[in-house]
Amino acid sequence: MISYFSSDFKLAILGGGQLGKMLLYETRKFDIQTLVLDPIPEAPSRLAANYFEQGDLMDFETVYNFGKKADVVTFEIEAVNVDALEKLEADGIIVYPSPKTLRKIQDKGVQKDFYTEKNIPTAPYKHFAKLEDLKLAITANQTSFPFVWKSCRGGYDGKGVQVVRSQEDLEKLADTPCIAEDMIPFKNELAVIVVRNPKGEVKSYPVVEMEFHPEANQVEYVICPGRINDKVAAKAREVATQVSEAFEHVGLLAVELFQTEDDQILVNEVAPRPHNSGHYSIEGSYTNQFEQHLRAILDLPLGETESKIGAVMVNLVGEEGFTGDVFYEKIEDIMALKGVTPHIYGKRETRPFRKMGHVTIVNSDLSEARRIAEEVKKTIRVITK
Amino acid sequence: MISYFSSDFKLAILGGGQLGKMLLYETRKFDIQTLVLDPIPEAPSRLAANYFEQGDLMDFETVYNFGKKADVVTFEIEAVNVDALEKLEADGIIVYPSPKTLRKIQDKGVQKDFYTEKNIPTAPYKHFAKLEDLKLAITANQTSFPFVWKSCRGGYDGKGVQVVRSQEDLEKLADTPCIAEDMIPFKNELAVIVVRNPKGEVKSYPVVEMEFHPEANQVEYVICPGRINDKVAAKAREVATQVSEAFEHVGLLAVELFQTEDDQILVNEVAPRPHNSGHYSIEGSYTNQFEQHLRAILDLPLGETESKIGAVMVNLVGEEGFTGDVFYEKIEDIMALKGVTPHIYGKRETRPFRKMGHVTIVNSDLSEARRIAEEVKKTIRVITK
């Protein structure tokens, strides 16, 4: 049995953003040594790492040489050099989540094809190698407006995703491999975090309900438990677990789902790491998602996933019209409200819609938490001084 | 209004042990810059501080020069140079808790005299300037065996405290200023954490029940809420609040109390900082004690003190007979139990009874948490490899 706690064991984390920063609270809690690689010298998770290296996450040599210093390698962002991870794995270094899974998830076309192959419910789509092929399909009436265009690579936080309603919209798209997905009329966007360890032990968190900001296409509220009926919730957890098992995934898998008008559950996309939809778990759950991810990738027993209390999470994003040194206007006012905990990621500069932090509101009465969350949202502003 | 969050504001923390380490989780969460001073180069809270300095906490120049670098100064240990803190305060630097209060608390004789002056219930005692005076009082039959001897200075974790039953016990005592306290037959040892900010806003946490290890005189279980009747609980919170207000305290004050056979509440002693009896709050409370201490000393609104869920805390202390590189035997087994979270402080070397970490067990059913806590206690051992 490897000893992780106050030992010479080393965990390498690719990426030093807010997810890495919150993961480090847990490595510190367990006194596990960490190495962090990030291109930005003042990355949020520079500080609590035992070792920090500035470097390009997409560069083979950088990632490979960095990973060689550790016993286990993980990542907090999907945009990393997978070839280097595969080479590290071949060298006998443990890499979780596995590079094989990451490769599938990095490409939305491959991801969707995988769901089809594994009979996992997902919105109907077509997969195109280039923009020209999509245009031909439209001309041939094999695909029709409107549809959701998704770039196979590099999309996040609404980037690389477009609703295409006309020939004019079509002409603006980037020429990349892509999918064209049917527009699904849905009641709710849901998410389920599933955790699985190398032994195959698997657990899912309760279903959360997500509300998106209409313009920025970023999550505005995450509500746990989601206010949906038990049957739909059970189905959502079942589908999400099926996805984790299909990937033989190790670590957290955040599964974003649509609840359709007729209560079908469709997989939208997944993230193989701690996820915005699980931030509520820091205050809300028996085991928060970051501790849970560590437990999974280190092959420790998984923790209880159920909630201690109702929770609502609000993202703090930069206000439109403000760029520069950040100022959290009226943060003191929201801290006076019951059960409110702000998390400030540590980015000195705000920009419109930049994710600067989040606020969790817990309450034994979920509707009261939701009411306070609205008050939080109306009060605090992420602006400049 | 001062901006603390992602700003140039600096908080200095005297002491870099586990309490400081856990306080740093919260400064990181709020992105507040910190400076830490500790005599040990590999102090547990070296890592997540923005700046770490190795130095003597009792040395005037060291503490003064260190404090001058910050906007607000606090401490996580009472054994610091109070003259330097007073000078910093005179220079206009904010020091919370106040040096005046710390001076009273550092000396158990002065602390007890203060309770007497303020009509705060405490066990009857006599205060002696030196051992000789105590001996004379015994000869004169003004004090009689048995009694509890407490050194006025430097006692913690059972050090500097002795039950004196005979002339022979008396001869072994150190020659220091001391108090001789009546032995109080008590049903329970309780503790209440009170938080007060500079505006005078004050809140108390629920009463916790403490169980001590019979030999090491260290807390073995902390149970929240304490299994006592509502009337006694209300009285305990009232007395503890009275103590905080008498000190005009700013920050956390952990108030240790005796519940006597006839349900009187007596103040035993206090700690002006986050405290072992409040560790359960990390998982159990709406606002954990470390975040709460920060809120108080920064004059932010206080957070909700009530519990989200029942909690039991078990200290992890070094097993007798083991000194050297620590090994947490069967930690994996306890992590498989429901609601169990280990906290490893990050001390590489274990020694008999050294505080190496703690484990929190949460459960919506407190008696189930208590049962699991016993299992934790029986399973994990802090030994060497």
Side-chain angles (χ1 to χ4, degrees):
Chain A
M1 173 62 77
I2 303 167
S3 175
Y4 301 112
F5 309 89
S6 295
S7 77
D8 293 326
F9 172 85
K10 286 180 184 68
L11 173 68
I13 304 166
L14 300 174
Q18 62 264 21
L19 299 175
K21 182 185 169 189
M22 292 185 269
L23 186 59
L24 290 186
Y25 299 155
E26 309 308 315
T27 58
R28 296 291 300 133
K29 188 169 87 183
F30 290 165
D31 196 37
I32 292 170
Q33 289 194 53
T34 48
L35 300 85
V36 169
L37 178 68
D38 196 88
I40 302 169
E42 65 281 9
S45 67
R46 173 175 201 135
L47 203 57
N50 293 75
Y51 169 82
F52 177 82
E53 190 175 310
Q54 188 186 351
D56 183 355
L57 297 167
M58 293 304 289
D59 181 68
F60 180 91
E61 290 297 326
T62 305
V63 171
Y64 177 72
N65 292 329
F66 174 76
K68 287 294 272 186
K69 299 183 175 82
D71 302 291
V72 173
V73 177
T74 192
F75 48 86
E76 58 108 57
I77 184 168
E78 289 94 320
V80 298
N81 190 299
V82 186
D83 293 336
L85 293 183
E86 280 178 346
K87 178 87 166 80
L88 287 165
E89 204 175 41
D91 287 0
I93 288 176
I94 295 168
V95 183
Y96 283 138
S98 87
K100 200 179 73 181
T101 301
L102 179 57
R103 204 179 273 290
K104 288 193 192 98
I105 290 170
Q106 272 186 340
D107 186 303
K108 280 182 189 165
V110 175
Q111 196 186 135
K112 290 284 281 193
D113 292 346
F114 180 76
Y115 299 150
T116 304
E117 182 196 325
K118 296 288 183 181
N119 288 313
I120 289 164
T122 189
Y125 70 102
K126 291 200 184 71
H127 185 174
F128 301 101
K130 53 184 195 291
L131 185 60
E132 190 55 30
D133 294 349
L134 167 58
K135 288 180 178 172
L136 287 172
I138 286 171
T139 310
N141 276 324
Q142 287 158 354
T143 295
S144 53
F145 301 120
F147 61 86
V148 182
W149 172 87
K150 293 181 179 175
S151 168
C152 284
R153 306 287 301 219
Y156 64 95
D157 285 353
K159 293 182 187 84
V161 177
Q162 287 289 330
V163 176
V164 178
R165 297 181 191 278
S166 64
Q167 195 65 34
E168 196 187 338
D169 287 350
L170 184 67
E171 294 306 325
K172 288 183 204 150
L173 297 175
D175 182 14
T176 58
C178 65
I179 58 172
E181 202 174 76
D182 288 5
M183 283 189 76
I184 300 293
F186 57 83
K187 279 189 212 169
N188 275 310
E189 293 201 47
L190 308 174
V192 174
I193 288 175
V194 182
V195 59
R196 190 173 170 280
N197 69 14
K199 291 183 199 82
E201 190 189 354
V202 63
K203 287 186 180 184
S204 64
Y205 279 79
V207 182
V208 301
E209 184 189 334
M210 295 154 89
E211 246 181 88
F212 279 71
H213 186 283
E215 285 165 59
N217 198 24
Q218 287 185 326
V219 178
E220 200 167 37
Y221 297 102
V222 174
I223 302 164
C224 184
R227 296 158 301 178
I228 53 174
N229 76 49
D230 290 352
K231 213 174 135 188
V232 172
K235 197 194 249 180
R237 290 174 82 158
E238 191 186 305
V239 168
T241 303
Q242 193 192 343
V243 178
S244 172
E245 288 182 332
F247 281 119
E248 296 180 335
H249 190 65
V250 171
L252 285 194
L253 190 73
V255 184
E256 296 183 35
L257 303 156
F258 295 123
Q259 176 189 2
T260 65
E261 298 288 358
D262 59 346
D263 285 346
Q264 278 188 78
I265 294 293
L266 301 179
V267 174
N268 179 18
E269 59 183 57
V270 301
R273 52 166 170 79
H275 189 254
N276 195 267
S277 66
H279 289 346
Y280 81 89
S281 67
I282 298 174
E283 286 82 11
S285 304
Y286 270 74
T287 313
N288 76 58
Q289 65 167 347
F290 300 97
E291 178 182 332
Q292 194 71 277
H293 185 64
L294 264 188
R295 285 176 177 242
I297 64 175
L298 301 181
D299 205 9
L300 290 163
L302 301 180
E304 176 62 45
T305 53
E306 294 303 304
S307 287
K308 294 190 278 205
I309 193 162
V312 178
M313 193 278 297
V314 175
N315 280 313
L316 291 179
V317 299
E319 195 86 4
E320 272 192 286
F322 296 90
T323 297
D325 281 354
V326 67
F327 179 66
Y328 295 92
E329 189 185 65
K330 296 199 178 169
I331 189 168
E332 295 81 4
D333 293 4
I334 69 162
M335 288 176 78
L337 303 171
K338 181 170 178 177
V340 168
T341 307
H343 292 252
I344 304 299
Y345 297 156
K347 302 170 186 176
R348 288 296 282 257
E349 187 173 311
T350 184
R351 294 192 295 267
F353 305 118
R354 188 178 193 195
K355 275 188 188 161
M356 300 297 288
H358 75 262
V359 180
T360 309
I361 301 96
V362 294
N363 202 293
S364 49
D365 175 356
L366 184 64
S367 63
E368 179 65 3
R370 184 64 181 77
R371 191 193 64 71
I372 294 171
E374 271 186 39
E375 205 173 329
V376 166
K377 190 80 195 166
K378 278 184 211 147
T379 305
I380 190 168
R381 292 203 314 154
V382 183
I383 58 172
T384 53
K385 269 170 272 193
Chain B
M1 171 63 77
I2 303 166
S3 175
Y4 301 112
F5 309 89
S6 295
S7 77
D8 292 326
F9 172 85
K10 287 181 185 66
L11 172 68
I13 305 166
L14 300 173
Q18 62 264 23
L19 299 175
K21 181 186 169 188
M22 290 185 271
L23 186 59
L24 290 187
Y25 299 156
E26 308 307 315
T27 60
R28 295 292 299 133
K29 188 169 85 183
F30 289 165
D31 195 38
I32 292 170
Q33 290 195 54
T34 48
L35 300 85
V36 169
L37 178 69
D38 197 86
I40 302 170
E42 65 280 10
S45 69
R46 172 175 203 136
L47 203 55
N50 294 76
Y51 168 83
F52 177 82
E53 189 175 311
Q54 188 187 351
D56 183 354
L57 297 167
M58 295 304 289
D59 181 66
F60 179 90
E61 291 296 327
T62 304
V63 171
Y64 177 72
N65 292 330
F66 174 76
K68 287 293 272 186
K69 298 183 176 81
D71 302 291
V72 172
V73 177
T74 192
F75 48 84
E76 57 109 59
I77 183 168
E78 288 93 319
V80 298
N81 190 299
V82 186
D83 293 337
L85 294 182
E86 280 178 345
K87 178 87 166 77
L88 287 165
E89 204 175 42
D91 287 0
I93 288 177
I94 295 168
V95 183
Y96 284 137
S98 87
K100 200 179 75 182
T101 301
L102 180 56
R103 206 179 273 289
K104 288 194 191 99
I105 290 171
Q106 273 185 341
D107 186 302
K108 282 182 188 164
V110 174
Q111 195 185 137
K112 291 283 282 192
D113 292 348
F114 180 77
Y115 298 149
T116 305
E117 183 196 322
K118 296 288 182 179
N119 288 314
I120 290 164
T122 188
Y125 69 102
K126 290 199 184 71
H127 186 174
F128 301 100
K130 52 183 196 290
L131 185 61
E132 189 56 30
D133 294 351
L134 167 57
K135 288 180 178 172
L136 288 172
I138 287 170
T139 311
N141 276 325
Q142 287 159 354
T143 294
S144 54
F145 301 120
F147 60 85
V148 182
W149 171 88
K150 293 181 179 176
S151 168
C152 285
R153 306 288 300 220
Y156 63 95
D157 285 352
K159 294 184 188 81
V161 177
Q162 286 289 331
V163 177
V164 178
R165 298 180 189 279
S166 64
Q167 195 64 34
E168 196 187 339
D169 287 349
L170 185 66
E171 295 306 326
K172 287 182 204 153
L173 297 175
D175 183 14
T176 59
C178 65
I179 58 171
E181 201 174 77
D182 287 5
M183 283 188 75
I184 300 293
F186 57 82
K187 279 188 214 171
N188 275 311
E189 293 201 47
L190 308 174
V192 173
I193 289 176
V194 182
V195 60
R196 190 173 169 279
N197 69 13
K199 292 183 197 80
E201 190 189 356
V202 64
K203 288 186 179 185
S204 64
Y205 279 79
V207 182
V208 301
E209 184 189 335
M210 295 154 90
E211 249 181 87
F212 279 72
H213 185 282
E215 285 165 57
N217 198 24
Q218 285 185 326
V219 178
E220 199 166 36
Y221 297 102
V222 174
I223 302 163
C224 184
R227 295 159 302 178
I228 54 174
N229 75 49
D230 291 351
K231 213 173 136 187
V232 172
K235 197 195 248 178
R237 290 175 82 158
E238 190 186 305
V239 168
T241 302
Q242 193 191 344
V243 178
S244 172
E245 288 182 332
F247 281 119
E248 297 179 335
H249 189 65
V250 172
L252 285 194
L253 191 74
V255 184
E256 296 183 35
L257 303 156
F258 295 123
Q259 176 189 3
T260 64
E261 298 289 359
D262 58 346
D263 285 346
Q264 279 188 78
I265 294 292
L266 302 178
V267 174
N268 179 17
E269 59 184 55
V270 301
R273 52 166 170 77
H275 189 253
N276 194 266
S277 66
H279 288 347
Y280 81 90
S281 67
I282 298 174
E283 286 82 11
S285 304
Y286 270 75
T287 313
N288 77 59
Q289 66 166 345
F290 300 97
E291 177 181 332
Q292 194 72 276
H293 185 64
L294 264 189
R295 285 175 177 242
I297 63 175
L298 300 182
D299 204 10
L300 290 164
L302 301 180
E304 176 61 45
T305 54
E306 294 303 304
S307 288
K308 294 190 277 205
I309 193 163
V312 178
M313 193 278 298
V314 175
N315 281 312
L316 291 180
V317 299
E319 196 86 3
E320 273 192 285
F322 295 90
T323 296
D325 281 353
V326 67
F327 178 67
Y328 295 92
E329 189 186 65
K330 296 197 179 170
I331 189 167
E332 295 82 5
D333 293 4
I334 70 163
M335 288 175 78
L337 304 171
K338 182 171 178 177
V340 168
T341 306
H343 292 253
I344 304 298
Y345 296 156
K347 302 170 185 175
R348 288 296 283 257
E349 187 173 312
T350 184
R351 294 193 295 267
F353 304 118
R354 188 177 193 195
K355 274 188 191 162
M356 300 297 288
H358 75 263
V359 180
T360 309
I361 301 95
V362 294
N363 202 292
S364 50
D365 174 356
L366 184 64
S367 64
E368 179 65 3
R370 184 66 181 77
R371 191 193 63 71
I372 294 171
E374 271 187 39
E375 206 173 328
V376 165
K377 190 81 196 165
K378 278 184 211 150
T379 305
I380 190 169
R381 292 201 315 152
V382 183
I383 58 172
T384 53
K385 269 167 272 195

